[in-house]
Amino acid sequence: MEDGGRFSRRDVLAGLTVAAGVSTFPQLGRAADAPIATRTIPVSGEQLPVIGLGTVGVFNFDNDPVKFAATKAVIETMVANGAKLIDSAASYGNAEARVGDVVAAAGARNKLFL
């Protein structure tokens, strides 16, 4: 979403593409019913999802309450659906700090692998 609460052309086209894919291939809409594919960390034995959330683009923002709320909703949705892998790094600009802030606000630190 662009600043000011308006959807950009890119946002609309991305949404239409997803909607078209789900309507064309209904099994894509049922992916949430399938268990999350995981792999084992050899040293600890912990199971981690094979796909995680990258933060370099979306979480790289300064003080923006709208983006903060949106990214918090993403984290809450991840946790609610069993996802837990988040990738961030100091080289991602403000993303690493924002991930920490958002995860703390969501009360989800003990449910995530950062």
Side-chain angles (χ1 to χ4, degrees):
M1 195 181 288
E2 292 181 353
D3 291 334
R6 295 179 48 196
F7 288 101
S8 69
R9 181 183 304 180
R10 176 179 278 176
D11 293 331
V12 171
L13 290 175
L16 290 173
T17 300
V18 170
V22 171
S23 65
T24 304
F25 303 101
Q27 66 274 21
L28 294 176
R30 286 176 279 189
D33 296 336
I36 294 175
T38 61
R39 295 280 165 95
T40 304
I41 296 177
V43 174
S44 69
E46 182 173 1
Q47 293 287 311
L48 288 180
V50 296
I51 298 176
L53 174 66
T55 62
V56 68
V58 176
F59 284 77
N60 187 14
F61 60 88
D62 288 320
N63 186 19
D64 184 329
V66 173
K67 289 182 181 177
F68 188 91
T71 53
K72 183 174 178 254
V74 168
I75 298 300
E76 291 169 341
T77 301
M78 282 181 62
V79 170
N81 289 285
K84 66 178 186 176
L85 181 62
I86 298 178
D87 171 55
S88 194
S91 62
Y92 293 177
N94 294 328
E96 190 173 45
R98 290 303 76 78
V99 167
D101 296 341
V102 170
V103 167
R109 179 59 189 102
N110 64 341
K111 299 174 184 169
L112 297 168
F113 185 92
L114 303 170

